[in-house]
Amino acid sequence: MNKKILLQLTKRSTFIVVFLFFISFVSSISLFQKVFAAEEAPTQTSKEGGGAAPGVELPQFEAGKAQSTAGQPAAATGAGTTTTAIEEEEVGPVQYRTFFGIDSRVVVWIVSELHLMFAAFVLGVPIFAVIVEIVGFKGGDVKYDKMAKEFTKLLSAAFATTASLGGLLGFCLFGLYPEFMGHMTNVFAPTMYIYALMFFGEAFTLYGYYYSWEILKGTAFRKWFHIMLGVMLNLFGTSLMFLTNSWATYMMSPAGIVPTTGKVLSLYHAIYNPLWMPVNLHRLIANVCFGGFIVGAYAAVKFLGAKSEEEKAHYDWMGYVGNFIGVGALIPLPFAGYWLGREVYSSSPVMGNIMMGGAFSWTFIIQAILIGMLFIGANYYLWLGMGRIKGSERYTKFIKYLIFVIFMCFAVWLTPHNLPLSGEERAMIGEQYHPFSKYFGVMAAKNAVVNLIILATFFSFLIYRRSNKGEMAPFSEQGRAGKIGIFSAAIFCLLMLVSYAISLNFVELEANIKVFVKPLISALYIQSFAICLAAFLTFKNKGKLAQGMLFAVTACIAVLYFWYYGFQVMQKANLVLRYLSVTQVSIVMSCLIMNAIIDIFMFRKAKLVGGIVWGKMPVRSQYALILLCVVIVILMGLMGFIRSGLRMDWHIYGVLQDTSQWAYTPTLAYMGRIVGLIVALFLGLVTFVFWLANLGDKKKSEKAEEYEDEVVGYEKQ
Amino acid sequence: MNKSMLKITAFGIAIIGFYIYITMYVAGLSGTGGGGESAGGVNPEAGEKIFWGDGQCSTCHKIGTSGSATRGPDQDGLIGRAEERAKELGMPSGLDYLVESIVEPEKFIVKGYDKIMPKVFDPPIMLSREKILAVLAYLQTLGGEPDIAAIMKYKDKIPEASKKKVKPWVPPVVVDAKEGEKIFFDETRPITCGKCHIVNGKGKQVGPELTGIGAIQTPEYFLESILTPSAKIVKGYETMYVITTDGIPYNGLIKSETDAELVLLKEESGEIEEVAIPKSDIQEMKKQDVSIMPGNIGELLSVRDFYGIVSFLQSLK
């Protein structure tokens, strides 16, 4: 069998896998429902004699009875009609099975993580592939189009693996956790059919998008049609993710059911549970970040194996774009993560405490190390990248300061709030916590340094961006686009800041706590004024001053002042902390948006000092890209463990308890080994899949070389 | 595989190895060890996490300035008191007293507190034996030094986590906890629970905070507490009866008390009002067996609303 046949088989098999997955998934659902209904039937008859949804323990009352009860006084119904009893577990339907004697939980853990990682790539990459394609089409630059197609080639290869892993995960869950999946099917059955249909939609649009790339070139209409296919692919993909997120988040914050019986009251509420939207947003951004860094590593591997300068230049550029996308998505990710964490607290304070102050608090130290590695790696890559830009020497002096800032922030972020002390140490110190380090371990300090790292990374990006730019054109020469751009950015930032400041006036808090909100409102108004001033200075051709002023004001408020004020709030009005964090995020975001827009228009018509010599990058820069990829995969594995582990010994938090022998939270060391294994498996699989995807290209290039040899030989004759 | 691919693979493996090393190092720092179960090992750090986390202890107990719960006794300086009580009861050590208090929580009730402590090895908390031992190690640090060897001697006295299953409580009408939450905070109604109770940071602190209450109390407790609020009054929330020298009587909760003044929270037509009474004006002051919580809530709520609130409270886990 030659490589061409192998490749064709791979491509065709993707359709077969998708089809088989759908058939098997639907049949397993219906089969399971039948089995479950058959098992439950006698119980239902004896309890109620009426029909009810299969898979649910029926409530011990009937609609008619409920009506009659409603007519009675509440006090009368209170005592006699409610029952709570604790009974010994009875022998019933199978709750758990093992996977050929292996720990079921580990099997599901590995398969679901692998599925999620591939899915993140498959969902994240199309988002920027379409954007890159549009950029190439509107700018008339073919190399963007070529790169977008290369992204999509990786996508189509990974898609079949994602589907296969999804099928395997479905079988594992139904086979190993039948009771749990019975509950989930009972609540979410209608969405499961929609999921399968959406999967068709994604498969068709993905392969349509990839295979029609060359066919739909030529006219603007055709190209737009092709872009529309990409947009549809994203819509299907995002909808799929949102659907599955509703299942996963329902397990953490169940809603729309009677918690005690599992009876479905509202499918809408079960889907739109308290954690659904925060997870949707977090995963959407994280997928883009993940996809960006994977693409960056792919480019790095290709760069390191490149045989020609042209190839090196192409993959250097691709790596830069991958890193740019990864970092671009990484910057808002802590904000989305903060929102998710806050909602976890709101939906269950116990779960929130377990997360930040309980068994999982140490995992956030590891998370901090990984995120620190991401920011340091991304900045290091940018700084190395300045070496290929003539004119960057003007800015390299800033790098040492940036390194200092980022490492100091990293150190603060790593400081644990509660270092376990021995009795002797405690006696020496005289209190439970270290008198000095405790101030760096609390949330106020960590929030402050995260914002500083983000600002420093953004600054790195700005100096990289302007490295080859020289004398700027006056702002008055930027035309209407410049004015509209700056004006729109300022209005957007003002709306964000002022509307939040106004809303803070109406928060429901006791008067003695509410006074702590006032400084936040003042901070928002000061930042609003700084935004207006920055816009004004830019119009007056003082854009650099405007940017510097905005950076300074933001750092003073969001980092220095809120670091100090955060302590005050934590001690005296803890409830205000959530408003403080949102204020901090809003202020930093407004700075990033405004300064980015100012930079774009300030340097739009600037003279070039020298060009970028793509391909002239040291080898270690490519290892930085590979580091970013491995770290983001590890981070995804770790965060998956945290999100899922927060339920502790509940399949569905507070509703369905995990009574299996694996109903305990693994230790950090054990988790580290399993996540390490998952990451190695994922990277191995990805490498294999990408190798398969490139087989066709190798064949094509070999054929082209053979053809060239033949032509040369013919000409010689 | 070519040379560059080998180098890349080695680099990737090195990063994964570094990550595994970090997790093992942090596991060592956190005292959880390398076994299967988290908070593993019997040590004060693990016990502290359980106390404030899945042990749910902090829902009822505070420790000095940490936490705010008053349902159970403040555990600050616990070891000294445990030793004293052990002597009074003729027990060999304070640790015996602590173990007995956890295994049989109703055996020794601290004066002024109710029999509300659940058996933590039974549902819904279901702490494993190892976790209970870890909590004991943590409790030993509250005024003393941990002695793990001594704790381990009590291993067999502590039951393993129950495998019992909670039979679901079923309200007599179909209700939704979300609806119950709305009713709880609905200020347009004649009675609003949120005016006196805080849940997840929302509401006002007149009565006991109810955050996480579903994890430690049963639906029957909620039914009783709503319909007959005076049946069991949470420690620290007893109504005070005050008569001034002018003969004016007041019934309310003590909000604050200084040498010069007493501030009472009293209920007036469904609203809570503050009354400051100079200490010099007080003729008589005594604790009442009647809760400040209105006793006619059953008449003010429909059956559906009532069970909605109970369902909401039960969901607070």
Side-chain angles (χ1 to χ4, degrees):
Chain A
M1 193 187 292
N2 64 25
K3 286 177 182 173
K4 192 177 177 184
I5 296 171
L6 184 67
L7 185 74
Q8 279 178 345
L9 263 178
T10 313
K11 286 173 180 172
R12 282 174 191 167
S13 66
T14 53
F15 284 101
I16 296 166
V17 167
V18 171
F19 184 67
L20 282 175
F21 169 72
F22 173 69
I23 295 291
S24 55
F25 194 70
V26 170
S27 60
S28 63
I29 291 168
S30 56
L31 181 67
F32 183 82
Q33 281 181 319
K34 279 177 194 166
V35 170
F36 204 87
E39 284 170 351
E40 283 291 304
T43 323
Q44 287 168 11
T45 314
S46 62
K47 274 185 187 168
E48 295 239 336
V56 197
E57 186 170 343
L58 290 165
Q60 297 163 1
F61 56 86
E62 290 176 6
K65 281 184 187 171
Q67 287 301 319
S68 62
T69 318
Q72 295 171 17
T77 57
T81 51
T82 57
T83 53
T84 300
I86 295 171
E87 291 180 349
E88 289 296 328
E89 193 175 359
E90 291 168 10
V91 179
V94 176
Q95 283 183 297
Y96 304 105
R97 293 190 189 95
T98 56
F99 187 82
F100 303 107
I102 306 171
D103 179 342
S104 302
R105 186 177 59 170
V106 170
V107 173
V108 170
W109 185 357
I110 293 172
V111 175
S112 58
E113 275 293 357
L114 286 174
H115 174 60
L116 277 169
M117 285 168 179
F118 269 99
F121 180 77
V122 167
L123 297 174
V125 171
I127 295 173
F128 54 80
V130 173
I131 294 169
V132 170
E133 189 189 2
I134 293 170
V135 169
F137 175 52
K138 295 296 284 177
D141 194 338
V142 186
K143 69 176 181 179
Y144 281 96
D145 195 73
K146 193 183 161 197
M147 188 166 65
K149 192 183 175 191
E150 196 159 358
F151 288 159
T152 316
K153 181 179 74 182
L154 303 179
L155 204 61
S156 63
F159 185 73
T161 319
T162 314
S164 309
L165 284 165
L168 182 60
L169 176 62
F171 290 133
C172 284
L173 285 171
F174 277 107
L176 304 176
Y177 292 90
E179 189 191 31
F180 159 68
M181 285 308 284
H183 179 103
M184 293 298 282
T185 310
N186 174 58
V187 178
F188 289 106
T191 65
M192 288 173 175
Y193 302 122
I194 296 168
Y195 175 82
L197 288 172
M198 288 276 191
F199 209 86
F200 268 120
E202 194 184 20
F204 293 151
T205 47
L206 171 61
Y207 288 109
Y209 183 59
Y210 178 57
Y211 288 112
S212 68
W213 206 289
E214 298 302 324
I215 302 165
L216 291 175
K217 268 182 180 171
T219 64
F221 175 77
R222 281 181 167 194
K223 197 62 186 168
W224 277 118
F225 182 74
H226 186 255
I227 289 166
M228 275 310 294
L229 270 179
V231 173
M232 289 296 292
L233 164 64
N234 277 300
L235 287 177
F236 277 120
T238 308
S239 307
L240 271 173
M241 185 186 73
F242 277 27
L243 264 183
T244 46
N245 283 350
S246 71
W247 307 340
T249 53
Y250 167 84
M251 289 164 69
M252 293 176 78
S253 57
I257 57 157
V258 179
T260 45
T261 61
K263 185 179 170 61
V264 184
L265 295 171
S266 159
L267 178 60
Y268 170 78
H269 285 104
I271 294 171
Y272 205 146
N273 60 71
L275 297 183
W276 188 48
M277 267 306 153
V279 168
N280 282 341
L281 181 72
H282 194 263
R283 276 196 171 160
L284 198 65
I285 301 171
N287 287 350
V288 175
C289 181
F290 187 82
F293 285 137
I294 298 269
V295 164
Y298 167 81
V301 172
K302 297 289 271 183
F303 178 95
L304 292 171
K307 284 169 187 156
S308 66
E309 288 304 313
E310 192 189 0
E311 216 180 334
K312 269 192 171 182
H314 173 70
Y315 286 113
D316 180 19
W317 182 61
M318 193 176 182
Y320 165 75
V321 174
N323 182 58
F324 176 75
I325 292 163
V327 176
L330 186 66
I331 285 174
L333 208 48
F335 304 142
Y338 176 77
W339 183 38
L340 174 58
R342 204 179 88 167
E343 292 306 309
V344 168
Y345 257 105
S346 300
S347 73
S348 168
V350 173
M351 194 185 267
N353 281 334
I354 290 167
M355 179 172 71
M356 297 308 290
F360 285 81
S361 57
W362 285 97
T363 57
F364 285 92
I365 299 293
I366 301 168
Q367 185 218 29
I369 294 171
L370 295 174
I371 293 181
M373 284 167 78
L374 283 180
F375 274 109
I376 291 168
N379 277 290
Y380 180 64
Y381 177 79
L382 276 178
W383 299 332
L384 286 177
M386 287 168 76
R388 67 183 164 209
I389 305 171
K390 285 171 194 164
S392 63
E393 315 78 50
R394 295 167 296 159
Y395 297 105
T396 46
K397 63 186 175 200
F398 290 113
I399 292 174
K400 54 182 177 289
Y401 302 114
L402 286 168
I403 291 172
F404 177 75
V405 167
I406 290 173
F407 272 91
M408 289 309 287
C409 291
F410 191 29
V412 172
W413 206 3
L414 274 180
T415 311
H417 178 42
N418 180 11
L419 268 176
L421 303 172
S422 66
E424 202 178 319
E425 287 167 334
R426 216 170 278 178
M428 273 170 66
I429 289 171
E431 58 173 316
Q432 197 176 357
Y433 302 120
H434 191 278
F436 178 68
S437 75
K438 69 179 179 186
Y439 294 111
F440 298 101
V442 292
M443 210 59 203
K446 291 182 194 298
N447 276 349
V449 295
V450 165
N451 284 296
L452 190 55
I453 289 181
I454 288 170
L455 286 171
T457 305
F458 182 69
F459 187 77
S460 277
F461 172 69
L462 284 190
I463 59 172
Y464 176 89
R465 201 179 166 274
R466 61 174 68 166
S467 283
N468 69 337
K469 307 245 167 70
E471 196 185 329
M472 299 175 295
F475 190 75
S476 52
E477 288 177 19
Q478 297 292 347
R480 278 179 65 191
K483 287 176 185 131
I484 292 171
I486 298 290
F487 191 69
S488 307
I491 293 292
F492 177 80
C493 293
L494 287 175
L495 278 176
M496 181 171 72
L497 296 167
V498 175
S499 63
Y500 189 62
I502 293 169
S503 74
L504 283 179
N505 283 305
F506 300 102
V507 292
E508 285 180 24
L509 291 169
E510 285 185 32
N512 60 336
I513 293 179
K514 205 169 175 178
V515 291
F516 287 90
V517 177
K518 284 190 177 161
L520 309 185
I521 298 171
S522 306
L524 287 163
Y525 284 130
I526 292 170
Q527 182 74 4
S528 303
F529 176 73
I531 293 283
C532 294
L533 188 61
F536 175 76
L537 288 171
T538 309
F539 279 118
K540 293 283 176 190
N541 287 331
K542 290 180 177 161
K544 280 187 181 174
L545 178 66
Q547 283 183 312
M549 182 273 300
L550 204 49
F551 264 124
V553 171
T554 305
C556 286
I557 299 175
V559 181
L560 296 176
Y561 176 63
F562 281 163
W563 192 335
Y564 158 77
Y565 191 61
F567 287 121
Q568 303 290 317
V569 167
M570 281 180 82
Q571 284 166 0
K572 295 170 188 166
N574 205 25
L575 283 174
V576 176
L577 206 55
R578 55 170 55 195
Y579 304 112
L580 186 145
S581 301
V582 178
T583 307
Q584 211 167 13
V585 167
S586 308
I587 287 172
V588 173
M589 286 301 284
S590 68
C591 170
L592 301 190
I593 293 167
M594 197 64 201
N595 270 349
I597 300 292
I598 290 174
D599 212 68
I600 288 169
F601 288 109
M602 197 163 61
F603 285 95
R604 201 162 62 135
K605 291 175 182 171
K607 285 179 186 166
L608 294 181
V609 176
I612 303 174
V613 189
W614 291 111
K616 194 194 159 197
M617 276 291 262
V619 168
R620 60 183 187 278
S621 67
Q622 303 308 304
Y623 279 97
L625 288 178
I626 293 163
L627 171 93
L628 291 172
C629 165
V630 180
V631 171
I632 194 81
V633 177
I634 295 175
L635 187 61
M636 188 170 252
L638 172 73
M639 299 317 285
F641 165 76
I642 297 173
R643 191 196 56 73
S644 187
L646 286 180
R647 288 181 276 110
M648 304 298 278
D649 55 350
W650 294 91
H651 293 306
I652 299 158
Y653 196 66
V655 173
L656 185 66
Q657 193 141 23
D658 183 352
T659 54
S660 72
Q661 57 183 302
W662 307 286
Y664 59 84
T665 305
T667 59
L668 286 178
Y670 184 75
M671 176 277 294
R673 290 194 289 271
I674 296 289
V675 171
L677 173 71
I678 291 167
V679 173
L681 280 173
F682 172 73
L683 293 174
L685 269 172
V686 162
T687 310
F688 177 67
V689 167
F690 287 175
W691 173 76
L692 277 180
N694 280 307
L695 276 180
D697 288 354
K698 267 190 186 170
K699 193 73 196 169
K700 271 182 208 164
S701 60
E702 277 169 17
K703 268 196 166 180
E705 276 171 23
E706 279 170 22
Y707 175 74
E708 276 172 22
D709 290 345
E710 276 174 24
V711 170
V712 171
Y714 179 75
E715 280 172 352
K716 276 181 182 171
Q717 282 171 14
Chain B
M1 198 183 280
N2 60 33
K3 209 176 169 185
S4 72
M5 207 54 204
L6 273 174
K7 281 183 186 170
I8 292 165
T9 309
F11 184 63
I13 291 170
I15 300 168
I16 296 170
F18 173 70
Y19 165 72
I20 293 172
Y21 167 75
I22 290 288
T23 56
M24 288 168 71
Y25 178 73
V26 175
L29 264 184
S30 66
T32 57
E37 191 165 1
S38 186
V42 178
N43 56 67
E45 290 75 28
E48 184 177 8
K49 282 179 196 163
I50 298 161
F51 185 95
W52 298 102
D54 55 347
Q56 319 280 0
C57 316
S58 57
T59 310
C60 296
H61 299 283
K62 65 174 181 173
I63 298 174
T65 52
S66 301
S68 59
T70 56
R71 289 184 184 88
D74 182 349
Q75 304 290 45
D76 198 19
L78 172 70
I79 291 304
R81 289 197 305 279
E83 292 294 341
E84 281 171 24
R85 298 224 172 91
K87 271 183 198 165
E88 287 166 17
L89 295 162
M91 298 175 96
S93 71
L95 194 54
D96 281 275
Y97 174 81
L98 289 181
V99 171
E100 208 62 38
S101 299
I102 290 174
V103 176
E104 290 291 339
E106 296 198 353
K107 201 166 176 181
F108 311 120
I109 304 294
V110 176
K111 202 178 168 190
Y113 292 90
D114 291 320
K115 293 179 183 179
I116 57 165
M117 178 157 160
K119 289 181 176 171
V120 290
F121 40 83
D122 272 349
I125 299 175
M126 295 203 289
L127 283 188
S128 69
R129 180 185 286 158
E130 191 180 48
K131 287 183 177 177
I132 295 172
L133 291 167
V135 172
L136 279 168
Y138 172 57
L139 295 179
Q140 279 193 318
T141 66
L142 305 173
E145 282 295 315
D147 183 353
I148 307 297
I151 288 172
M152 293 311 284
K153 287 179 188 161
Y154 293 86
K155 198 177 171 192
D156 296 333
K157 268 200 159 185
I158 294 167
E160 257 305 350
S162 169
K163 294 289 176 196
K164 288 171 184 172
K165 206 175 172 185
V166 181
K167 190 176 178 184
W169 171 74
V170 183
V173 286
V174 178
V175 291
D176 179 7
K178 278 270 166 203
E179 281 302 313
E181 183 179 4
K182 280 184 194 161
I183 299 158
F184 190 95
F185 292 110
D186 186 357
E187 297 210 2
T188 61
R189 289 169 173 269
I191 192 88
T192 311
C193 315
K195 278 187 182 172
C196 295
H197 295 285
I198 289 180
V199 172
N200 301 339
K202 201 173 165 188
K204 286 180 182 162
Q205 179 112 38
V206 176
E209 181 170 345
L210 299 178
T211 306
I213 193 74
I216 58 154
Q217 290 296 3
T218 61
E220 281 103 342
Y221 176 87
F222 299 135
L223 293 170
E224 186 188 50
S225 297
I226 298 172
L227 296 173
T228 50
S230 302
K232 279 178 190 164
I233 302 171
V234 173
K235 170 80 179 161
Y237 293 92
E238 300 90 350
T239 312
M240 296 301 290
Y241 177 67
V242 177
I243 299 181
T244 62
T245 47
D246 302 336
I248 303 169
Y250 293 100
N251 262 322
L253 295 176
I254 296 177
K255 191 192 174 192
S256 61
E257 188 177 4
T258 61
D259 291 341
E261 191 183 64
L262 178 78
V263 180
L264 277 186
L265 293 171
K266 71 183 189 77
E267 188 249 335
E268 195 70 52
S269 312
E271 295 294 324
I272 299 296
E273 291 177 0
E274 276 187 24
V275 186
I277 310 166
K279 277 277 180 75
S280 55
D281 291 355
I282 296 174
Q283 187 182 19
E284 193 188 343
M285 185 167 99
K286 60 179 177 182
K287 268 187 192 172
Q288 295 277 79
D289 293 334
V290 181
S291 168
I292 192 177
M293 184 164 152
N296 62 340
I297 294 178
E299 293 158 23
L300 298 170
L301 292 172
S302 70
V303 172
R304 197 174 295 274
D305 291 349
F306 171 71
Y307 281 106
I309 290 173
V310 174
S311 188
F312 166 59
L313 292 173
Q314 226 214 329
S315 72
L316 299 172
K317 290 173 181 167

